[in-house]
């Protein structure tokens, strides 16, 4: 698939890895791809995203804010509902932590595949892509095929990111007030203008 990537799209993938390293993350997620697409070297996608009201510092801050928030499946309303039937959520969580150890309920990084795979901590080496970011790359290929493009450009990467729609990048876009349908339409217009 990478042989169909333009130099600009390849640079986006490399820049996504640099964004991941810069944030101290052990993976490349959709959020890193979004940050790379905001870089002026990404070409038309940077302009499309800027026209949508986005800039890299604000997106980077939103990414860090979202990752810093504990992801708990239960809300305070859930805790109240459980309390009404006699279940004290805080007590249950305290007992779990006492049984499993301190910090056992803290969020963890994305799981690595393979039980026997050794952890690599190289500073300049390959950083693995999450399942969602791999899906973005796959969807960019599908977008290019559907649009009868002979290559995969940064615009196709943005279309793949929008189409994936469930990763942290999509959440950040929504939090920043970006309408994904309008962003898709603007990206398609940019592709038409480039042709």
């Amino acid at each position: 698939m990478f042989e169909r990537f333009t130099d600009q799209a390849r640079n986006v993938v490399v820049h996504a890895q640099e964004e991941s390293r810069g944030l101290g993350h052990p993976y490349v997620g959709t959020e890193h791809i979004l940050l790379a697409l905001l870089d002026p070297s990404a070409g038309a996608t940077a302009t499309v995203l800027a026209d949508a009201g986005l800039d890299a510092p604000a997106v980077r801050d939103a990414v860090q804010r979202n990752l810093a928030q504990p992801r708990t499946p239960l809300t305070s309303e859930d805790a109240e509902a459980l309390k009404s039937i006699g279940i004290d959520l805080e007590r249950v969580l305290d007992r779990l932590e006492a049984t499993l150890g301190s910090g056992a309920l803290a969020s963890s990084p994305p799981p690595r595949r393979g039980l026997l795979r050794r952890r690599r901590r190289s500073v300049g080496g390959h950083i693995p892509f999450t399942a969602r970011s791999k899906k973005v790359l796959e969807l960019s290929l599908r977008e290019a095929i559907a649009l009868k493009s002979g290559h995969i450009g940064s615009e196709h990467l943005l279309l793949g990111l929008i189409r994936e729609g469930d990763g942290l990048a999509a959440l950040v876009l929504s939090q920043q007030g970006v309408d994904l349908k309008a962003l898709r339409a603007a990206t398609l217009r940019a592709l038409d203008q480039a042709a």
Side-chain angles (χ1 to χ4, degrees), residues 5-12 152:
F5 275 49
T6 62
D7 289 340
Q8 197 171 57
R10 284 188 188 117
N11 288 336
V12 168
I152 299 170

Side-chain angles (χ1 to χ4, degrees), residues 15-91:
H15 193 80
Q17 291 180 338
E18 292 168 0
E19 286 289 346
S20 173
R21 275 189 203 94
L23 291 169
H25 298 158
Y27 59 90
V28 176
T30 61
E31 63 275 19
H32 304 112
I33 295 172
L34 175 60
L35 285 165
L37 289 167
L38 280 161
D39 190 87
S41 67
T45 59
T47 303
V48 168
L49 291 167
D51 289 349
L54 297 172
D55 66 16
V59 169
R60 197 171 289 109
D61 288 345
V63 165
Q64 290 175 318
R65 236 184 353 266
N66 278 287
L67 291 175
Q69 294 175 356
R71 295 187 184 264
T72 176
L74 298 174
T75 64
S76 57
E77 291 84 18
D78 295 329
E80 285 300 316
L82 289 170
K83 191 174 189 175
S84 72
I85 58 171
I87 299 172
D88 183 352
L89 181 59
E90 287 300 318
R91 189 169 173 210

Side-chain angles (χ1 to χ4, degrees), residues 103-184:
L105 300 175
S107 62
S108 59
R112 295 179 60 93
R113 292 201 170 133
L115 295 174
L116 301 176
R117 184 179 280 179
R118 289 190 301 188
R119 267 195 126 109
R120 290 184 291 191
R121 288 285 192 194
S122 62
V123 174
H126 174 74
I127 300 173
F129 283 71
T130 63
R132 286 191 194 281
S133 59
K134 288 178 185 176
K135 185 73 172 176
V136 167
L137 299 178
E138 176 189 326
L139 290 171
S140 69
L141 171 64
R142 289 184 186 181
E143 290 288 345
I145 290 169
L147 295 168
K148 297 179 178 27
S149 296
H151 64 279
I152 299 170
S154 59
E155 299 88 353
H156 299 106
L157 289 170
L158 180 54
L159 291 171
L161 188 74
I162 294 165
R163 189 167 162 189
E164 188 276 329
D166 289 324
L168 182 52
L171 175 64
V172 168
L173 288 169
S174 296
Q175 289 173 343
Q176 299 291 312
V178 175
D179 179 322
L180 295 182
K181 287 181 183 178
L183 185 60
R184 178 177 174 76

